[in-house]
Short mmCIF file of all heavy atoms in Angstrom, two decimals:
data_model
loop_
_atom_site.label_atom_id
_atom_site.label_comp_id
_atom_site.label_asym_id
_atom_site.label_seq_id
_atom_site.Cartn_x
_atom_site.Cartn_y
_atom_site.Cartn_z
N ASP A 127 123.66 99.15 103.26
CA ASP A 127 123.26 97.77 102.77
C ASP A 127 122.46 97.09 103.78
O ASP A 127 122.28 95.80 103.70
CB ASP A 127 124.57 96.97 102.44
CG ASP A 127 125.49 96.88 103.62
OD1 ASP A 127 125.27 97.57 104.62
OD2 ASP A 127 126.46 96.10 103.48
N LYS A 128 121.99 97.77 104.80
CA LYS A 128 121.11 97.16 105.78
C LYS A 128 119.99 98.08 106.15
O LYS A 128 120.03 99.29 105.91
CB LYS A 128 121.92 96.66 107.06
CG LYS A 128 122.63 97.80 107.70
CD LYS A 128 123.48 97.34 108.96
CE LYS A 128 124.19 98.42 109.55
NZ LYS A 128 125.02 97.96 110.73
N LEU A 129 119.01 97.61 106.91
CA LEU A 129 117.94 98.48 107.36
C LEU A 129 118.32 99.23 108.61
O LEU A 129 118.79 98.69 109.60
CB LEU A 129 116.70 97.65 107.69
CG LEU A 129 116.06 96.87 106.49
CD1 LEU A 129 114.95 95.86 106.95
CD2 LEU A 129 115.53 97.86 105.52
N GLU A 130 118.12 100.59 108.50
CA GLU A 130 118.39 101.47 109.64
C GLU A 130 117.14 101.61 110.45
O GLU A 130 115.99 101.73 109.91
CB GLU A 130 118.85 102.79 109.09
CG GLU A 130 120.15 102.71 108.25
CD GLU A 130 121.38 102.42 109.08
OE1 GLU A 130 121.31 102.58 110.26
OE2 GLU A 130 122.35 102.00 108.47
N THR A 131 117.26 101.57 111.80
CA THR A 131 116.07 101.74 112.62
C THR A 131 116.14 103.14 113.28
O THR A 131 117.22 103.66 113.53
CB THR A 131 116.10 100.67 113.75
OG1 THR A 131 117.34 100.80 114.49
CG2 THR A 131 115.95 99.26 113.13
N PRO A 132 114.91 103.68 113.54
CA PRO A 132 113.57 103.18 113.17
C PRO A 132 113.37 103.26 111.70
O PRO A 132 113.79 104.22 110.96
CB PRO A 132 112.60 104.08 113.97
CG PRO A 132 113.37 105.40 114.09
CD PRO A 132 114.81 105.00 114.27
N CYS A 133 112.61 102.28 111.18
CA CYS A 133 112.31 102.09 109.80
C CYS A 133 110.78 102.27 109.61
O CYS A 133 110.04 101.79 110.33
CB CYS A 133 112.83 100.79 109.27
SG CYS A 133 112.55 100.53 107.48
N GLY A 134 110.42 102.93 108.50
CA GLY A 134 108.99 103.17 108.15
C GLY A 134 108.28 102.01 107.60
O GLY A 134 108.87 100.99 107.19
N THR A 135 106.97 102.13 107.48
CA THR A 135 106.12 101.16 106.87
C THR A 135 105.18 101.77 105.87
O THR A 135 104.97 103.03 105.88
CB THR A 135 105.27 100.42 107.91
OG1 THR A 135 104.46 101.31 108.64
CG2 THR A 135 106.17 99.60 108.85
N SER A 136 104.64 101.01 104.94
CA SER A 136 103.72 101.53 103.97
C SER A 136 102.92 100.37 103.44
O SER A 136 103.14 99.24 103.71
CB SER A 136 104.49 102.18 102.83
OG SER A 136 105.36 101.21 102.13
N GLY A 137 101.89 100.74 102.64
CA GLY A 137 101.01 99.72 102.04
C GLY A 137 101.39 99.54 100.51
O GLY A 137 101.34 100.45 99.72
N SER A 138 101.75 98.35 100.20
CA SER A 138 102.25 98.07 98.86
C SER A 138 101.33 97.21 98.06
O SER A 138 100.57 96.44 98.67
CB SER A 138 103.66 97.37 98.86
OG SER A 138 104.11 96.95 97.61
N LYS A 139 101.23 97.31 96.72
CA LYS A 139 100.45 96.51 95.91
C LYS A 139 101.08 95.19 95.53
O LYS A 139 100.43 94.33 94.84
CB LYS A 139 100.05 97.25 94.60
CG LYS A 139 99.15 98.50 94.84
CD LYS A 139 98.64 99.06 93.62
CE LYS A 139 97.72 98.09 92.85
NZ LYS A 139 97.13 98.71 91.61
N ASN A 140 102.33 94.94 95.96
CA ASN A 140 102.94 93.66 95.64
C ASN A 140 102.46 92.59 96.52
O ASN A 140 102.62 92.62 97.77
CB ASN A 140 104.53 93.87 95.85
CG ASN A 140 105.34 92.70 95.31
OD1 ASN A 140 104.78 91.71 94.92
ND2 ASN A 140 106.63 92.93 95.29
N MET A 141 101.78 91.61 95.87
CA MET A 141 101.12 90.56 96.57
C MET A 141 102.01 89.33 96.63
O MET A 141 101.55 88.33 97.28
CB MET A 141 99.78 90.25 95.96
CG MET A 141 98.75 91.35 95.97
SD MET A 141 98.34 91.88 97.67
CE MET A 141 97.77 90.32 98.31
N SER A 142 103.17 89.35 96.09
CA SER A 142 104.04 88.17 96.14
C SER A 142 104.84 88.19 97.53
O SER A 142 105.28 89.24 97.97
CB SER A 142 105.09 88.24 94.99
OG SER A 142 104.42 88.18 93.77
N PRO A 143 104.87 87.09 98.22
CA PRO A 143 105.53 87.13 99.53
C PRO A 143 107.10 87.25 99.30
O PRO A 143 107.78 86.38 98.80
CB PRO A 143 105.21 85.70 100.03
CG PRO A 143 104.85 84.78 98.85
CD PRO A 143 104.31 85.80 97.83
#
Side-chain angles (χ1 to χ4, degrees):
D127 58 349
K128 60 182 180 180
L129 293 174
E130 301 289 341
T131 57
C133 182
T135 57
S136 60
S138 172
K139 294 187 66 175
N140 192 347
M141 296 300 300
S142 300

